[in-house]
Amino acid sequence: MLIFSVFKTLTDQEVTVELKNDLCIKGTLKSVDQFLNIRLDAIQVLDEARHPHMMAVKNCFIRGSVVRYVQLPTSAVDTQLLEDATRREAMNQNKR
Amino acid sequence: MSFFGFDTTLDRDKRNPGEGNHENIAVYTFGEDGYDALGDALDEGLDELNDETFGGSGDIGKDFDYAGQTGTAMEKLHVAAPEYPQPPIQVKLDHPSSLEALWAQASPQPNHKQHRVPSAGRHVEDSWGRADTSPMVAPAPVPNHAHKFDPFSSDAANFGQGYSPVLSPRPPVHHAQPRIRTLQEIEMEQLALAQQARLSSSVPSLSNSMSHLSMGGSESPSFGRYHHEPEYTRSPSMANQQYVPDELEQQLLLQAQQQQLLQLQQHLLQQRHVQQQQQLLQQQQQQLTAQAVAAAYFGGAPAKAILSHPDLMEHSLSMDPEQREAVMTEAMRKIMEAERMEEKRRRKAFKIAQMSKYNDIMTQSDKDFITRIQVSQLVTQDPYSEDFYAQVFSALRSRGDTGGVIKFGSSGGIGVGVLGHRGPGRRENAMQKMQAQVERIVNAAKNREKEKGNSAALQGALGRVSGRSYKAAPRQLLQVEPGSSPVLAHATANTKEDNKAHEAREGVARAAAQAEREALTGDPSAGEVVRQPPLTHRQVLVAIEALYDVMLKIEQLRRDQPEDEESQLFQRWNAAHEELIEKLWVDFKVMVPLETSDPHPFISLIAPIKGKRLLPRLLQAVSQPRRNLFFTLLVACFSQLDVVRDAPLLDIVEDTREKRDVEKQTEAFLVSVFPTVLGLVKHAPLRLISGMLGLLFDGGDLLNIARTKPGLALLTILLSRVVVLKEGSSNETEPPTPEELQQWQSIFEHLFLLLSNHLLSLFPSTRVTTSLPFGPGYYVQPPKGLDFADQPVWQFLAALALNASMTQQQALVTELREKVLENVTSANKGWTADETERQAKIANVNLFLHALGLDSSQIVL
Amino acid sequence: MADVPSQGVQEPFDLIRLSLSERVFVKLRGDRQLTGVLHAYDGHMNLIMSDVEETIMIVEPVEGAPEGEGIVRAVKRNLDMLFVRGDGVILVSPPSRT
């Protein structure tokens, strides 16, 4: 739930999703669920020449499992809080 | 199973062929390629209950009107009886009134009711429509006479009901015909039609006349759509079909396709039918036959039945073998073609229909309700256990209006409470505070100097300086030779004296440091200190994570703090809280003897960034005396800090990963640790400041410390605090006693002596330039942004100048003359293209000059 | 300080925890590797890292060389803040300290 929690705070931020097939989609993160499926608006495909079929697509829903990376806006991530959250989750996990 | 004579078992689990169709196994396997295997997916089992569900008698409703007829109907088909028994339930469907009702439902023009001709047309189209999806189409190459196919194809009807298109039970409807017209009759009609068509070339009238022929009904021009198919209207069997609303709707969907077919046929018709009536008739019949054959297949009538039908036989016999062959080929071709096309459309339509049956099942409020349920499942009882990051993050972002959970007291810039200002912003906060303080005291000093008006003494050292007071009446200014600076002369003259005094001052510093150290260890004769190797990186990491565990527990405890301060619950809570804090303090190893290791374990602990970040949170939790202890330890071990030891890496020009790491560490130090220090110094008495400086000297590496950003910042705040204290402008502490002042004086002189002659090396810009290889180094443009890096140095020098005596100030000016002039010159002569850089240079110099009561504008070049 | 904390590492994830906010080396499927500062991980090995340098190894076939061998070319790129989906992660380790 940690990562889901993080993504929730990133809604309406501009992110770049890199899929496992090397397709890079930049867009505004509209929503995310606990499977880390991602909905993007106002998308723009990097390297459009290689993926002309994506040119007309303006928004999309990405299945979480096909994602390799998501590039996040650095300013929108509180790394110290993130580390704390990670530690908390690790502690809770150990307790169980 | 045997429902309307169809085998309801799937191919793969066929167990009982069922009565009546044993000879027709091939029918089910025909056109396998067209079979989309949906049936496999839709095997729902329980077919044996079909009889129960659909069988029996009684009025089950019109959806199941066909029940109970299956076996008999099939048998009848096989005997190929020309007369079909009329199922009792269906009689009413055959009734014109019911037809009317059906038409009224299906068509926007209710007055179509009587028109069986068009309905026949639809009928054919319907049979086309469902042709390919019927799995039981057999390629029996027998011309049939267009009466045996089942217009209400099971699938077409099922379609609307969301049934599987395959094998869904539906009684055959062809026996609903009250009477079968013979081929002869049809031929006669067609003949008559053709004759009439000769008179009128317009198709509508043709078809109208046909409707007369077949129906005796009235004309209806509104039937245009179905007019153009004279050849179909001949079929007597079609003329008598009843329609199920579902099917009609389905047919509307088929219109487009039908139109194409019709146009083709019409074209054919119009071309020939006037002159070649006979030929036309024959062709029509052939087509009709072909259609009928196809339709018969689709209707599921067994091939044998078709073959054995007398009408069919008759017609077949009436053709010669070649014709028959042609008819059959034509029929097959059409069947196949239509099958393929229909297959596609059908599948699509089926899917749409499947899904559309759910259309608008849920209202928007239903959806909202579901959404709320889902969301509520995501929201747990304790948001901090599952959703910590998002909760705290949003609380921090909207701090002030949420009454944030993470607000911890108001301990001025410490702890998680200021997370919102983290990053560069917060760092600026701390640094800006310091900068502002320096500027404030510099300005205060400048104003004092102005009042005294004694700055003229220093002006010479900077070359030609035009004082503001002289601006009105300029006069020849002093031209001072750099070598013959009075300050330098003074310095050399007093060297001997200084050395003696130096020792004395060192002694003072040492004493001050000793006092602090005693405070730290608690026992001056700490005796046996077990020296140990410094902590390994891994040990440090393990220790820090353990500390974080404690820290997080403490912070969670605070969230759960009981309201009632008197209750026993609170007592227990408080005890637990205290215990954790104690553990945190002990584990942070602040009280470990100084000499234990180098670096000191505590210093090791704040080497990683996460250690530095943890420090303010720890300090915010502990008491004030303990914070002072931390401060003392930090100063005593300042030279052991990673940010001090690694600082030389920052002077490397090229960008390396190591350099970036040190930059990050330095920033983390200034962001996390420094604000705490600033907060502590802000309230420190002069005695403490003296002690700190003494500790710094004791560390030995003062010059190296002063060459680092953190070191310089520390020195700056210490010095500026002293200025504030001496001014007595801070009202929260009592003014320093004379002894303290005297102690401070000697310590400061010691500091000044240590730094003098090395002042230039404090500037990052100078260090970078000198570290460059000789030769090109002097011509290469120094890296950008060095002026900003120089800024803390100028601030420090300003603080130094404020504390300095007159002679010390003169020494300062002499040593820094070059640097000042260099900056002013490059700024004023336009050597610097960048405006912000130019302003930075001027601002830097002014910061220092103001402390001396001067201004860069006074320097005339 | 004699009690050097040795407790704490009981399971593999504890080891990763030590590297929080430290620079780590991550090996990924598809001949990719990352170095960057680790800020978050979870049970799926989903990671959030900053200051990341990604290296992709591309084997370029060389004529005459046996199948599967050739010049290995490394393509690098830098990313500021990166979420890495856990299913691609092969290993996470502290970078070799030199």
Side-chain angles (χ1 to χ4, degrees):
Chain A
M1 290 306 272
L2 164 70
I3 304 285
F4 172 49
S5 188
V6 173
F7 272 108
K8 278 202 290 190
T9 67
L10 291 170
T11 47
D12 292 329
Q13 301 278 351
E14 175 130 301
V15 299
T16 304
V17 179
E18 182 175 328
L19 308 185
K20 288 184 176 133
N21 66 359
D22 290 337
L23 181 64
C24 275
I25 306 171
K26 186 185 199 170
T28 310
L29 183 69
K30 287 321 278 185
S31 68
V32 70
D33 63 16
Q34 64 264 55
F35 307 108
L36 305 183
N37 300 324
I38 289 172
R39 198 159 70 77
L40 289 184
D41 263 13
I43 65 163
Q44 188 190 344
V45 172
L46 281 64
D47 195 6
E48 200 135 60
R50 254 183 69 200
H51 308 279
H53 57 286
M54 293 295 293
M55 243 143 58
V57 184
K58 287 288 157 264
N59 48 55
C60 62
F61 179 88
I62 300 169
R63 189 183 152 98
S65 65
V66 302
V67 171
R68 179 187 292 133
Y69 303 139
V70 182
Q71 295 176 41
L72 314 171
T74 309
S75 59
V77 179
D78 188 325
T79 52
Q80 186 176 353
L81 184 58
L82 189 51
E83 286 160 22
D84 273 8
T86 306
R87 290 186 182 103
R88 284 180 64 103
E89 185 150 294
M91 278 165 74
N92 291 340
Q93 227 80 60
N94 279 358
K95 261 184 242 159
R96 276 167 212 162
Chain B
M1 6 146 273
S2 164
F3 200 68
F4 349 122
F6 301 160
D7 187 358
T8 54
T9 59
L10 295 171
D11 289 343
R12 54 186 151 84
D13 54 5
K14 193 163 288 170
R15 2 153 242 222
N16 185 351
E19 61 262 89
N21 52 3
H22 25 274
E23 68 271 70
N24 278 327
I25 300 302
V27 163
Y28 302 99
T29 53
F30 171 73
E32 285 282 26
D33 50 341
Y35 176 62
D36 64 2
L38 266 177
D40 292 324
L42 290 169
D43 177 21
E44 289 163 307
L46 295 181
D47 277 341
E48 60 275 6
L49 294 178
N50 283 349
D51 286 327
E52 209 172 83
T53 308
F54 300 98
S57 54
D59 192 4
I60 330 172
K62 79 178 180 179
D63 282 344
F64 303 99
D65 270 354
Y66 317 104
Q69 306 305 322
T70 56
T72 49
M74 220 51 224
E75 277 157 22
K76 289 283 168 9
L77 275 176
H78 288 174
V79 192
E83 295 280 316
Y84 287 87
Q86 180 75 29
I89 319 172
Q90 286 181 340
V91 173
K92 65 174 190 279
L93 287 179
D94 210 20
H95 196 267
S97 72
S98 83
L99 250 185
E100 174 178 346
L102 289 168
W103 274 107
Q105 272 183 292
S107 154
Q109 286 108 339
N111 58 343
H112 299 163
K113 52 192 173 187
Q114 301 287 328
H115 291 254
R116 292 188 182 183
V117 177
S119 72
R122 288 182 167 215
H123 176 182
V124 170
E125 141 207 0
D126 168 54
S127 53
W128 277 109
R130 87 196 127 72
D132 45 336
T133 37
S134 169
M136 44 206 93
V137 174
V142 191
N144 195 347
H145 215 351
H147 69 304
K148 259 219 189 121
F149 61 91
D150 175 7
F152 306 101
S153 69
S154 51
D155 39 14
N158 290 336
F159 219 90
Q161 298 164 8
Y163 282 163
S164 147
V166 239
L167 297 181
S168 50
R170 189 93 192 270
V173 206
H174 41 263
H175 47 249
Q177 309 162 184
R179 183 181 76 92
I180 299 289
R181 282 202 270 178
T182 64
L183 183 64
Q184 284 87 345
E185 278 177 307
I186 302 166
E187 279 178 356
M188 273 170 66
E189 278 178 16
Q190 283 194 325
L191 202 64
L193 159 76
Q195 278 164 349
Q196 208 175 354
R198 228 188 302 179
L199 301 174
S200 128
S201 59
S202 85
V203 177
S205 69
L206 174 67
S207 55
N208 281 341
S209 64
M210 292 191 298
S211 22
H212 281 296
L213 278 172
S214 59
M215 281 293 305
S218 61
E219 268 185 34
S220 171
S222 59
F223 246 98
R225 273 211 292 262
Y226 302 110
H227 283 169
H228 321 293
E229 29 177 312
E231 62 267 64
Y232 297 147
T233 61
R234 292 308 99 134
S235 165
S237 64
M238 297 166 186
N240 287 320
Q241 301 303 338
Q242 340 99 332
Y243 284 85
V244 181
D246 280 343
E247 189 179 8
L248 292 178
E249 283 171 18
Q250 192 55 40
Q251 283 173 349
L252 288 173
L253 288 173
L254 297 177
Q255 260 173 12
Q257 199 200 348
Q258 178 208 13
Q259 291 278 351
Q260 280 185 334
L261 189 63
L262 292 183
Q263 274 164 15
L264 187 77
Q265 288 161 345
Q266 189 189 346
H267 180 64
L268 206 66
L269 179 69
Q270 282 177 340
Q271 267 195 336
R272 300 185 189 170
H273 77 291
V274 182
Q275 304 98 334
Q276 307 168 334
Q277 198 187 105
Q278 196 58 44
Q279 199 183 333
L280 167 70
L281 256 177
Q282 200 168 5
Q283 194 171 7
Q284 281 176 336
Q285 286 218 327
Q286 284 176 2
Q287 280 185 352
L288 185 61
T289 312
Q291 307 275 3
V293 170
Y297 296 152
F298 309 149
K304 199 174 178 184
I306 295 168
L307 274 170
S308 59
H309 193 278
D311 284 354
L312 175 67
M313 298 306 286
E314 197 179 328
H315 181 63
S316 306
L317 289 172
S318 72
M319 293 192 234
D320 61 51
E322 263 179 41
Q323 267 181 320
R324 215 180 315 169
E325 190 64 27
V327 166
M328 288 318 297
T329 326
E330 169 82 345
M332 285 314 295
R333 193 184 56 77
K334 285 196 172 177
I335 291 170
M336 301 296 278
E337 193 180 332
E339 249 176 42
R340 274 194 300 274
M341 278 168 49
E342 262 310 287
E343 170 75 7
K344 283 182 196 159
R345 191 203 57 76
R346 197 73 187 221
R347 242 186 264 173
K348 199 199 266 175
F350 176 69
K351 277 181 197 156
I352 293 171
Q354 278 285 53
M355 288 189 292
S356 68
K357 73 177 168 178
Y358 300 114
N359 280 358
D360 298 325
I361 278 184
M362 288 172 73
T363 64
Q364 188 55 43
S365 66
D366 289 341
K367 290 174 190 165
D368 292 344
F369 183 65
I370 301 281
T371 309
R372 273 202 299 280
I373 292 176
Q374 288 175 324
V375 168
S376 73
Q377 281 168 345
L378 292 177
V379 175
T380 52
Q381 287 289 313
D382 177 13
Y384 288 102
S385 72
E386 290 292 319
D387 199 20
F388 177 79
Y389 181 84
Q391 293 291 325
V392 179
F393 187 88
S394 55
L396 289 172
R397 287 282 152 129
S398 58
R399 230 150 43 96
D401 46 69
T402 50
V405 208
I406 304 246
K407 270 190 191 161
F408 297 143
S410 53
S411 37
I414 307 173
V416 199
V418 288
L419 280 178
H421 299 299
R422 218 152 340 90
R426 177 165 156 208
R427 179 205 161 175
E428 272 161 33
N429 264 8
M431 294 304 274
Q432 272 167 1
K433 255 188 221 164
M434 184 188 83
Q435 197 178 326
Q437 192 184 357
V438 171
E439 270 169 25
R440 211 169 43 243
I441 57 178
V442 162
N443 281 335
K446 193 176 81 179
N447 293 338
R448 262 203 320 275
E449 292 292 319
K450 230 196 280 176
E451 284 161 24
K452 282 190 236 161
N454 65 351
S455 61
L458 293 167
Q459 286 166 9
L462 283 169
R464 294 198 288 158
V465 170
S466 65
R468 265 156 300 177
S469 44
Y470 309 127
K471 264 180 194 161
R475 54 155 207 188
Q476 186 65 39
L477 289 166
L478 284 171
Q479 190 77 47
V480 185
E481 297 291 316
S484 66
S485 155
V487 183
L488 272 189
H490 167 85
T492 33
N494 292 336
T495 311
K496 229 184 185 177
E497 214 176 293
D498 272 355
N499 278 348
K500 232 194 257 164
H502 181 74
E503 277 165 32
R505 282 190 293 268
E506 242 181 11
V508 175
R510 210 160 277 155
Q514 186 61 35
E516 292 307 320
R517 209 169 313 137
E518 278 169 24
L520 197 59
T521 52
D523 181 7
S525 57
E528 286 97 74
V529 172
V530 188
R531 285 201 64 90
Q532 288 192 335
L535 295 179
T536 64
H537 186 68
R538 190 193 147 91
Q539 286 171 330
V540 168
L541 292 178
V542 172
I544 291 176
E545 289 303 331
L547 284 169
Y548 264 107
D549 273 352
V550 179
M551 193 72 232
L552 291 171
K553 275 181 201 153
I554 292 175
E555 284 168 3
Q556 185 58 44
L557 260 184
R558 291 187 184 176
R559 288 188 193 103
D560 304 336
Q561 179 169 5
E563 295 280 318
D564 184 8
E565 301 230 343
E566 301 301 313
S567 70
Q568 208 170 5
L569 198 63
F570 182 82
Q571 301 287 318
R572 233 177 303 139
W573 175 87
N574 203 34
H577 188 228
E578 291 301 317
E579 191 188 335
L580 283 175
I581 288 178
E582 188 62 29
K583 179 172 168 52
L584 193 63
W585 175 251
V586 170
D587 286 352
F588 229 120
K589 304 187 190 301
V590 173
M591 299 309 286
V592 169
L594 269 182
E595 292 81 12
T596 303
S597 61
D598 180 16
H600 188 270
F602 169 76
I603 300 296
S604 294
L605 283 180
I606 61 169
I609 285 185
K610 52 181 165 180
K612 294 185 176 70
R613 284 179 168 174
L614 182 57
L615 183 63
R617 293 161 76 176
L618 158 84
L619 290 176
Q620 169 268 326
V622 301
S623 61
Q624 185 65 35
R626 283 185 166 177
R627 286 182 205 165
N628 285 337
L629 282 175
F630 141 77
F631 185 32
T632 311
L633 178 63
L634 181 74
V635 172
C637 301
F638 209 83
S639 61
Q640 299 173 359
L641 282 172
D642 62 318
V643 286
V644 174
R645 291 200 164 166
D646 299 337
L649 283 169
L650 292 173
D651 295 332
I652 300 169
V653 178
E654 67 261 51
D655 191 31
T656 62
R657 168 137 281 166
E658 289 75 23
K659 183 184 171 183
R660 256 184 292 148
D661 281 347
V662 176
E663 272 171 3
K664 268 193 187 167
Q665 293 282 359
T666 306
E667 187 178 314
F669 183 87
L670 293 175
V671 165
S672 301
V673 183
F674 189 69
T676 320
V677 173
L678 188 67
L680 289 170
V681 172
K682 217 163 68 184
H683 305 290
L686 186 59
R687 183 174 28 81
L688 190 66
I689 307 287
S690 304
M692 293 303 162
L693 267 181
L695 274 177
L696 270 183
F697 301 153
D698 225 34
D701 248 351
L702 185 75
L703 202 57
N704 278 337
I705 291 173
R707 280 176 186 153
T708 67
K709 240 178 173 178
L712 214 53
L714 176 67
L715 287 171
T716 308
I717 53 168
L718 287 174
L719 290 177
S720 53
R721 170 66 185 164
V722 172
V723 176
V724 173
L725 278 172
K726 281 205 285 199
E727 280 173 13
S729 53
S730 69
N731 21 9
E732 82 272 24
T733 43
E734 70 258 42
T737 61
E739 295 85 58
E740 283 174 349
L741 278 174
Q742 203 184 343
Q743 186 195 30
W744 164 251
Q745 205 53 46
S746 49
I747 284 179
F748 178 79
E749 277 169 28
H750 187 53
L751 170 74
F752 195 86
L753 221 76
L754 282 173
L755 290 180
S756 57
N757 295 324
H758 301 286
L759 287 179
L760 280 178
S761 71
L762 299 186
F763 289 97
S765 60
T766 311
R767 290 202 301 269
V768 167
T769 322
T770 50
S771 77
L772 286 171
F774 185 78
Y778 285 94
Y779 307 103
V780 168
Q781 184 82 11
K784 292 236 167 192
L786 278 177
D787 293 300
F788 297 102
D790 278 352
Q791 195 191 27
V793 184
W794 289 110
Q795 276 173 359
F796 166 70
L797 291 173
L800 199 65
L802 288 171
N803 276 291
S805 66
M806 187 59 72
T807 39
Q808 284 167 335
Q809 283 187 350
Q810 281 174 337
L812 266 181
V813 169
T814 313
E815 196 175 342
L816 295 170
R817 183 175 174 273
E818 291 282 323
K819 195 78 185 170
V820 171
L821 290 180
E822 175 194 313
N823 273 278
V824 174
T825 315
S826 67
N828 287 346
K829 296 226 164 155
W831 294 353
T832 347
D834 193 355
E835 175 62 19
T836 53
E837 204 182 325
R838 201 185 68 81
Q839 280 177 356
K841 279 182 192 295
I842 292 292
N844 281 345
V845 173
N846 272 342
L847 198 67
F848 171 63
L849 291 180
H850 287 175
L852 299 168
L854 297 170
D855 191 273
S856 63
S857 57
Q858 294 172 287
I859 298 172
V860 179
L861 296 158
Chain C
M1 78 295 156
D3 58 317
V4 171
S6 54
Q7 82 285 6
V9 181
Q10 287 144 0
E11 52 170 293
F13 275 116
D14 290 339
L15 217 52
I16 296 182
R17 190 182 154 178
L18 293 185
S19 293
L20 264 186
S21 101
E22 293 281 290
R23 192 161 279 282
V24 291
F25 169 84
V26 179
K27 196 166 155 57
L28 295 175
R29 287 163 174 272
D31 293 324
R32 285 162 195 266
Q33 51 199 41
L34 309 172
T35 58
V37 180
L38 180 69
H39 293 299
Y41 66 87
D42 66 9
H44 306 288
M45 287 283 234
N46 291 324
L47 310 173
I48 294 177
M49 298 163 75
S50 71
D51 192 17
V52 182
E53 182 184 83
E54 185 198 33
T55 310
I56 311 172
M57 295 301 189
I58 298 174
V59 180
E60 284 174 343
V62 175
E63 239 173 278
E67 187 71 26
E69 284 179 34
I71 300 171
V72 178
R73 191 161 58 93
V75 180
K76 287 181 190 261
R77 70 175 165 157
N78 287 296
L79 306 147
D80 281 344
M81 185 68 71
L82 192 67
F83 160 75
V84 182
R85 194 171 162 94
D87 52 9
V89 174
I90 294 173
L91 70 85
V92 179
S93 82
S96 54
R97 305 190 133 260
T98 46

